[in-house]
Amino acid sequence: MNNRKWVFGVGVAVILVALFSWNFVRGSRGTSQTGSNTGGQTVERTTQTNRDLSGDNDVLVVYFSRTSGVWDGPLEVGHTKVLADYITEATNADQYEIVPAVAYPDDYEATAEQARQEQADDARPAIANPLPDLSEYETIFIGAPVWWSEYPMIVRTFLDGEADQLANKTLVPFTTHLGSGLGASQRQLESQFPQATVLDGFSVRGEDGAVNGAESDVRAWLTRIGVNN
Ligand SMILES: Cc1cc2nc3c(=O)[nH]c(=O)nc-3n(C[C@H](O)[C@H](O)[C@H](O)COP(=O)(O)O)c2cc1C
């Protein structure tokens, strides 16, 4: 192995160890939560999703993603959005992006600290765009980066705001991550929506470019779970 590869390999290993340590620390504090607190917000809904191709499509892909990256940003397209786009394409779905009312910092450390605080506070950060009307959809993919082993709290804002409409749907989690896989995302959906059908989710590592080569794996997964239009 030449020196550059060795240095790169050690760098990746250090970051992975750091991430697993976070997860361990978080797990040992037992802070995993489910909630139904909408913070008393009035839910405004829109029939306008980002893309409405056919009008008779019953699949929606919901995602949250940033373009900052942990060490490979700024990105043209966030890792989770790359995955969301593959799913959208393969299922001819509509899309809804969860856009924070207050953007997260570009700086990784600042975002990490804010995300940790939001989890500790069981916060529901506000979403800038109106929530979509889900009545026409049967299957809803819900994707985000894993943050501190879970969905970012802003995804909870979405889940709580749409709780009545999500209750009886088919829900499918997907994530990008640096070692945590799906994290708690699938368990969170199963626990918050016991009447829903929650299908096996898909996850892929973000920062090492794996997501860019994941399209065929995504299609194979969609076939396995029986969702492809
Ligand atoms: C605040 C924060 C917390 C993170 N926590 C974890 C974690 O617990 N486990 C993990 O595998 N990756 C973690 N990551 C890495 C992200 O999941 C990964 O970079 C993801 O691909 C980012 O997706 P995006 O580009 O769509 O935002 C974290 C990243 C951030 C910014």
Side-chain angles (χ1 to χ4, degrees), residues 39-211:
Q41 278 177 348
T42 309
V43 176
E44 188 191 343
R45 289 211 170 85
T46 177
T47 49
Q48 205 62 45
T49 42
N50 290 2
R51 191 176 109 133
D52 197 345
L53 293 176
S54 57
D56 61 358
N57 184 30
D58 64 357
V59 180
L60 178 68
V61 174
V62 175
Y63 71 93
F64 168 66
S65 183
R66 291 162 71 244
T67 52
S68 307
V70 171
W71 67 74
D72 61 353
L75 305 159
E76 243 171 68
V77 181
H79 301 116
T80 312
K81 175 158 172 58
V82 173
L83 200 48
D85 286 349
Y86 288 152
I87 299 167
T88 304
E89 202 60 41
T91 59
N92 192 29
D94 294 339
Q95 252 188 16
Y96 171 80
E97 179 180 8
I98 297 174
V99 179
V102 179
Y104 285 90
D106 285 331
D107 177 63
Y108 165 69
E109 293 298 338
T111 302
E113 187 45 44
Q114 186 173 330
R116 185 206 297 273
Q117 196 58 51
E118 287 175 355
Q119 269 194 2
D121 296 344
D122 197 21
R124 296 294 183 271
I127 295 175
N129 41 342
L131 296 180
D133 179 355
L134 302 182
S135 52
E136 68 176 286
Y137 301 107
E138 290 300 321
T139 303
I140 299 167
F141 290 82
I142 301 170
V146 175
W147 277 9
W148 298 107
S149 308
E150 301 178 7
Y151 274 137
M153 297 310 281
I154 197 160
V155 175
R156 302 277 192 102
T157 309
F158 175 86
L159 297 176
D160 288 359
E162 297 279 21
D164 53 338
Q165 296 206 66
L166 289 170
N168 293 301
K169 305 283 187 187
T170 296
L171 307 179
V172 198
F174 65 98
T175 66
T176 63
H177 63 94
L178 271 176
S180 295
L182 282 166
S185 60
Q186 187 155 334
R187 286 194 300 280
Q188 281 179 244
L189 294 180
E190 287 165 350
S191 141
Q192 185 167 358
F193 303 105
Q195 310 294 329
T197 302
V198 179
L199 300 181
D200 282 345
F202 183 89
S203 67
V204 63
R205 280 173 51 86
E207 264 72 6
D208 57 7
V211 71

Side-chain angles (χ1 to χ4, degrees), residues 85-91 202 214-225 227-229:
D85 286 349
Y86 288 152
I87 299 167
T88 304
E89 202 60 41
T91 59
F202 183 89
E215 188 167 8
S216 58
D217 287 346
V218 166
R219 286 180 183 267
W221 161 62
L222 291 170
T223 301
R224 209 159 53 240
I225 62 172
V227 189
N228 36 13
N229 286 349

